[in-house]
Amino acid sequence: MNASLTAQANSPNQTSMRAWSVALRYGLIGGAVALFLALVGMVEAFATRYVIANVIDLGTLLLFLSYLGAGYVAIKRSGARTPFEILSQGAFAGFIASVFIALLAVVIYAIPGIRTIFINASPALLAILTFKMGVPAGLVPILLSGVIFGAIGGLIEILPPSLRRSLIYAAMVVLVFGLMQDLLRVTLQKWKFLDPATSFTFSNNGLTIVGAVTLFILTFLASQLWQRRGNEARARYRQLPTRQQQLLGWGLIAFSVALLLVLPLLVGLFFSEVLVNVGLFILLGLGLNIVVGFAGLLDLGYVAFYAIGAYTVALLTSTSLEIVYAGGNPFWLALPFAVFFAVLAGVILGIPVLKIRGDYLAIVTLGFGEIIRLIVLSDFLKPILGGSRGIELIPKPFIGSFEFAGPEELYYLILAGCGLAAFVAIRVKDSRLGRAWGALREDEDVAEAMGINLVSTKLMAFAMGAAFGGLSGAIFASKLAIIYPSSFNLLLSINVLAVVIIGGMGSIPGVVLGALVLVGLPELLREFSDYRLMLYGAALVIMMLVRPEGLWPEKSRQRELHESQQEEILSGPLAADEEVAREGAAG
Amino acid sequence: MPILELKDVHSYYGHIHALKGISLTVEQGEIVTLIGANGAGKTSTLRTISGLLHPREGQVFLEGEQINGLPAHIIVSKGIGQSPEGRQIFSRLSVMENLEMGAYSRKDKEGIKSDLDHVFRLFPRLKERRSQTGGTLSGGEQQMLAMGRALMTRPRVLLLDEPSMGLAPVLVETIFEIIRDLNKEGVTILLVEQNAAKALSIANRGYVMETGRIVLSDEASKLQESELVRKAYLGED
Ligand SMILES: Nc1ncnc2c1ncn2[C@@H]1O[C@H](COP(=O)(O)OP(=O)(O)OP(=O)(O)O)[C@@H](O)[C@H]1O
Ligand SMILES: [Mg+2]
């Protein structure tokens, strides 16, 4: 796109002026990002975690990535093509970005009082920014790193797509291993025979240098190999007789299921806890995805169904002496009631909002969610629901004498729930009802004229979404053993909505991916927890700009957002990557 | 007994009195056209028939059975199909999916398949473009899709709201030929048109509407001769 613009500019001089001003612009943006990261305290907080032991920490890496991003986007947008232009303009963008950080270092050094305004502009931050060299000596490496990473960013943009992808994968694998090293190490230590490999890869804080290099090379090679040979393998697979293809397919499914079944044993307690939390969000996301993704009804009060499921189970099972009404029942007896009451609430919410559309629907459902929370919190119902103290002593589910005691056991309960929900969602999506939802989402009036019963179609969406929410809430209650009204606030609805949007509205694998990214990652990186909401916001904004269809988009959603390009519809994250790569190559 | 009959129908949008006592009949196998100036209430009449708008007074009968007050999806399943004004197709669904949505209220797989073939025979262009998204079709193709989708409901009465709107003269010709063919196959048609000359040339009878009322009704050929119609709608003086 930009290449053609550039070509139209009449004189070469003008062209290069434009390219440099583009580089300047993205340098300024990259610098602002770096400055922001430093001043909100992320750089300092993350600096305690080494990605590679004693070589690079996460805080510094964030700054480097800002420079790199500046160089990358600058070259992508400027349309520079000769190696000299790319290197010089990329480096220039990175340099401009690093000037912000250099200036910040000078300011912190020269005006100690700055801390009264920017509380994070501390001496510790100064040490990190200047590589412990202080001002002025440390300014040189700051600017140098800007130049180097900006140039690298520029280079990345012009690499052949296959090479670029392999490099990015390799870097990401190193990053992920580096970030999760604590957990990975603890987990790997369960297997003594892996000890040499473990100590080869990990040091006490971060990856070892050789470990990081090895990981990088291995991932790079694997990715290259797959790109070269992947098509061949796929072609060979297609040539197989259908019978064998099916067999392979089943084998793959059986393997995945087996893997899912033994996962808690493999990963241990902490990971299982994370998986359980991710699972709860997958369940919630699958439910909300039906309402928002399939039927196009924007529901901001989804947390209400979660709360109703949780409180139903709490009331029916709690052994607390304060629960004199119905407590003491087993989980399995309470579960159907939890789902039933959630569905009932879904229908009760659905009826008054049948005629309400779009923005107004969002507001009404938002209110519904708050109403449920306030009811639970009310003094009036305090004798029954416990008010702000909540309900405690909720027992764990049992099957026979097997207790779903901790995360490693509860995992199976959630897995079953998610499996069921995913199965139902997949089946219903391709059913008559699913098509009716699709029409409803597109255009309510025409859907009605086509003979779709709007009332029952909408109510079914609310009811089914609510059922999954209730199921999730029920498991949540017995997992925590104690529930408070404050667990069921608006933020939870927003989080679930973010999972659905980031994953890709209407896409079932998208929900899983969205929950893994938005719930799993922050759980694994405790340093992130302070910045969790900020990162959510940033992720949403970036997604809307770069990839509005979500991480793993649903087919028709992708079409809608790329209507201008009538290309063959691609599916799956890799296919979409290819599209981006092609755009990059063309632009 | 007429297949479709409206008796003194009054419809409102809130306080706006859009239809002020419409009575009309359509006999089995006819093409009847409804002409009139912008805002006369033609679209409102069709919406009232198909149940998207409920009349406050008066009745609508399909083969003697009162259908006003029934929800739209029931009326569709009783055999009234419509191609709404302004090519309201599902712009993000493919041509194929749009057509499938037309057959939503039906369950006879065989019949749906043969009707699909039928639609593709009528509109070969749609067959070529069946995996393209509705929104990227040209205006004329969208109009074909809207008509094709209405046919997929296998209607006994087809309500067409300005099928020639915004089309090139050649396409207008084609669309009207198709309407005539459909009618020959036994579909009764109530046609709303701005292009009064064309509409009257293929219709058996016509009604002229002005501000919510029917001011004239006659055989199509007689209407073509009438002073009022010639002046107001055929652009003659
Ligand atoms: N949804 C609505 N809300 C309020 N008023 C409406 C609505 N739809 C139509 N009207 C009004 O009802 C009257 C009849 O409109 P209608 O659409 O039936 O006219 P029409 O004969 O189909 O006109 P055209 O030839 O321009 O399509 C007009 O005065 C219009 O403004
Ligand atoms: Mg109209």
Side-chain angles (χ1 to χ4, degrees):
Chain A
M1 228 192 298
N2 286 291
S4 63
L5 272 181
T6 321
Q8 278 164 11
N10 16 27
S11 85
N13 215 344
Q14 229 172 320
T15 314
S16 89
M17 274 303 290
R18 198 190 141 270
W20 284 97
S21 78
V22 168
L24 176 65
R25 172 151 29 112
Y26 288 102
L28 291 176
I29 293 175
V33 170
L35 191 63
F36 178 74
L37 292 175
L39 287 181
V40 297
M42 273 174 84
V43 170
E44 191 182 334
F46 291 6
T48 49
R49 190 183 274 256
Y50 276 100
V51 179
I52 300 174
N54 301 323
V55 176
I56 185 164
D57 61 73
L58 190 56
T60 313
L61 189 66
L62 282 178
L63 297 178
F64 288 172
L65 284 177
S66 316
Y67 310 152
L68 190 129
Y72 175 81
V73 184
I75 297 305
K76 192 179 172 77
R77 295 286 157 87
S78 79
R81 276 298 159 260
T82 70
F84 174 73
E85 276 174 357
I86 286 157
L87 279 177
S88 56
Q89 286 166 14
F92 177 63
F95 173 75
I96 295 292
S98 65
V99 167
F100 279 70
I101 293 301
L103 285 179
L104 176 64
V106 172
V107 168
I108 299 177
Y109 174 74
I111 319 170
I114 192 79
R115 270 203 89 175
T116 51
I117 304 172
F118 295 109
I119 193 158
N120 290 309
S122 63
L125 178 64
L126 181 65
I128 297 163
L129 294 182
T130 57
F131 306 92
K132 301 203 181 70
M133 285 187 249
V135 176
L139 298 181
V140 179
I142 291 178
L143 298 175
L144 206 61
S145 64
V147 168
I148 293 171
F149 280 94
I152 295 177
L155 280 179
I156 291 177
E157 155 55 24
I158 57 143
L159 287 179
S162 89
L163 200 59
R164 175 172 56 195
R165 196 175 317 149
S166 295
L167 284 175
I168 290 175
Y169 283 165
M172 289 216 309
V173 166
V174 173
L175 188 63
V176 168
F177 270 72
L179 291 182
M180 305 196 175
Q181 39 114 4
D182 288 341
L183 299 166
L184 288 172
R185 216 172 51 222
V186 171
T187 310
L188 287 174
Q189 271 162 4
K190 287 172 83 174
W191 291 295
K192 286 285 165 254
F193 71 96
L194 280 176
D195 271 356
T198 310
S199 55
F200 177 75
T201 325
F202 297 106
S203 76
N204 280 333
N205 188 2
L207 298 168
T208 60
I209 297 178
V210 275
V213 172
T214 319
L215 266 178
F216 189 89
I217 293 177
L218 283 181
T219 319
F220 179 80
L221 289 180
S223 160
Q224 281 289 307
L225 194 71
W226 173 245
Q227 286 181 29
R228 299 260 159 79
R229 293 292 162 81
N231 281 335
E232 242 172 76
R234 249 171 268 150
R236 213 177 308 149
Y237 169 77
R238 265 188 231 110
Q239 279 162 10
L240 289 177
T242 359
R243 182 93 198 94
Q244 279 184 25
Q245 276 190 20
Q246 275 173 355
L247 231 60
L248 266 174
W250 282 115
L252 200 66
I253 291 174
F255 176 75
S256 318
V257 171
L259 189 68
L260 280 176
L261 285 179
V262 296
L263 207 54
L265 305 177
L266 293 179
V267 300
L269 190 66
F270 182 80
F271 264 112
S272 298
E273 167 78 23
V274 174
L275 285 174
V276 165
N277 286 334
V278 170
L280 282 174
F281 269 85
I282 293 179
L283 206 48
L284 286 168
L286 285 172
L288 187 62
N289 188 43
I290 287 182
V291 186
V292 180
F294 290 0
L297 305 163
L298 185 51
D299 182 352
L300 291 184
Y302 191 63
V303 67
F305 309 121
Y306 191 58
I308 288 169
Y311 267 90
T312 307
V313 162
L315 275 178
L316 290 179
T317 66
S318 169
T319 53
S320 159
L321 291 178
E322 285 163 38
I323 305 293
V324 287
Y325 303 93
N329 296 295
F331 174 79
W332 301 108
L333 186 85
L335 184 63
F337 285 97
V339 173
F340 172 77
F341 283 119
V343 167
L344 194 67
V347 173
I348 290 174
L349 165 70
I351 290 172
V353 302
L354 280 172
K355 298 262 176 225
I356 301 176
R357 295 184 187 187
D359 317 356
Y360 302 103
L361 178 65
I363 301 293
V364 174
T365 51
L366 183 87
F368 181 72
E370 280 300 284
I371 288 171
I372 296 289
R373 190 177 65 85
L374 291 175
I375 287 177
V376 167
L377 195 58
S378 69
D379 279 339
F380 175 62
L381 288 174
K382 196 167 180 180
I384 304 175
L385 300 179
S388 60
R389 282 179 45 225
I391 300 180
E392 50 184 11
L393 296 179
I394 306 165
K396 298 278 184 283
F398 275 89
I399 293 183
S401 62
F402 176 79
E403 185 185 9
F404 290 89
E408 280 159 307
E409 292 85 21
L410 277 166
Y411 168 87
Y412 292 102
L413 190 58
I414 303 251
L415 185 65
C418 289
L420 178 74
F423 177 76
V424 172
I426 291 169
R427 289 304 296 263
V428 81
K429 187 178 184 183
D430 289 325
S431 69
R432 261 171 68 77
L433 185 58
R435 280 188 288 135
W437 284 336
L440 190 70
R441 188 183 67 199
E442 299 296 315
D443 191 325
E444 226 170 86
D445 295 315
V446 191
E448 196 176 7
M450 288 302 103
I452 289 170
N453 182 346
L454 291 188
V455 174
S456 67
T457 310
K458 282 190 178 181
L459 288 185
M460 275 306 280
F462 279 119
M464 203 174 283
F468 291 174
L471 177 61
S472 190
I475 299 177
F476 175 72
S478 67
K479 170 188 174 249
L480 282 197
I482 173 163
I483 54 172
Y484 311 101
S486 59
S487 317
F488 305 100
N489 55 19
L490 171 66
L491 205 55
L492 196 91
S493 297
I494 304 279
N495 284 354
V496 180
L497 192 63
V499 163
V500 173
I501 292 174
I502 296 253
M505 287 228 245
S507 156
I508 292 162
V511 169
V512 178
L513 201 59
L516 280 172
V517 171
L518 284 189
V519 183
L521 279 186
E523 296 261 350
L524 290 179
L525 304 167
R526 288 289 168 182
E527 290 93 332
F528 278 70
S529 57
D530 282 349
Y531 301 97
R532 190 168 177 157
L533 288 175
M534 199 185 91
L535 293 175
Y536 268 36
L540 278 171
V541 171
I542 293 173
M543 283 297 284
M544 288 307 104
L545 288 174
V546 180
R547 219 184 141 93
E549 68 272 37
L551 290 174
W552 192 323
E554 192 243 350
K555 270 189 289 170
S556 77
R557 198 47 70 156
Q558 199 170 350
R559 266 192 318 226
E560 153 198 347
L561 289 156
H562 296 274
E563 231 156 47
S564 50
Q565 310 141 256
Q566 264 296 326
E567 294 179 35
E568 204 184 332
I569 288 114
L570 302 155
S571 61
L574 288 182
D577 262 351
E578 264 158 35
E579 192 176 59
V580 174
R582 243 182 301 129
E583 263 175 29
Chain B
M1 184 197 301
I3 188 163
L4 189 66
E5 182 171 16
L6 274 69
K7 275 192 185 155
D8 192 30
V9 166
H10 290 258
S11 289
Y12 292 76
Y13 296 100
H15 293 297
I16 298 171
H17 196 173
L19 300 184
K20 302 167 184 162
I22 300 287
S23 299
L24 60 79
T25 55
V26 181
E27 298 292 336
Q28 171 78 43
E30 272 191 315
I31 299 182
V32 172
T33 183
L34 204 55
I35 56 183
N38 292 121
K42 307 179 295 291
T43 300
S44 305
T45 306
L46 295 193
R47 287 172 59 86
T48 304
I49 296 171
S50 59
L52 295 174
L53 187 60
H54 294 294
R56 222 174 265 180
E57 279 170 52
Q59 297 101 38
V60 181
F61 297 95
L62 177 69
E63 291 183 316
E65 181 194 355
Q66 189 172 339
I67 57 167
N68 56 289
L70 295 179
H73 68 274
I74 302 284
I75 295 182
V76 172
S77 65
K78 286 187 182 295
I80 298 186
Q82 75 163 336
S83 164
E85 184 175 17
R87 309 175 191 134
Q88 291 187 19
I89 54 169
F90 297 114
S91 57
R92 299 158 195 177
L93 298 188
S94 71
V95 168
M96 199 66 186
E97 287 164 337
N98 263 282
L99 292 174
E100 280 167 0
M101 283 317 303
Y104 180 80
S105 54
R106 298 169 56 184
K107 294 196 178 74
D108 52 325
K109 282 227 172 75
E110 286 302 307
I112 292 175
K113 217 184 145 324
S114 77
D115 283 358
L116 194 62
D117 290 340
H118 182 209
V119 168
F120 282 150
R121 260 199 314 281
L122 285 173
F123 306 104
R125 192 82 76 87
L126 292 184
K127 188 170 189 181
E128 278 169 37
R129 313 203 156 254
R130 69 190 145 208
S131 58
Q132 189 172 329
T133 46
T136 61
L137 295 174
S138 81
E141 290 163 347
Q142 292 188 4
Q143 189 62 62
M144 295 177 194
L145 181 56
M147 271 179 77
R149 197 183 53 190
L151 287 177
M152 291 301 293
T153 60
R154 186 173 279 184
R156 285 180 294 154
V157 182
L158 181 58
L159 313 178
L160 295 174
D161 200 344
E162 306 204 19
S164 74
M165 196 210 286
L167 299 189
V170 197
L171 259 178
V172 174
E173 217 50 61
T174 320
I175 290 277
F176 275 93
E177 254 163 52
I178 287 171
I179 293 173
R180 209 172 323 176
D181 289 347
L182 279 174
N183 180 245
K184 281 201 194 108
E185 289 167 16
V187 183
T188 306
I189 287 166
L190 179 55
L191 170 68
V192 165
E193 257 303 331
Q194 291 290 343
N195 190 338
K198 273 260 139 240
L200 289 171
S201 76
I202 66 162
N204 303 94
R205 293 184 302 115
Y207 290 85
V208 181
M209 282 189 79
E210 265 171 27
T211 56
R213 291 197 177 84
I214 288 178
V215 291
L216 197 60
S217 70
D218 213 330
E219 306 276 303
S221 52
K222 299 245 175 68
L223 283 181
Q224 278 172 316
E225 303 294 305
S226 101
E227 190 80 357
L228 173 78
V229 173
R230 288 170 67 121
K231 272 206 174 133
Y233 305 107
L234 301 179
E236 298 172 14
D237 39 26

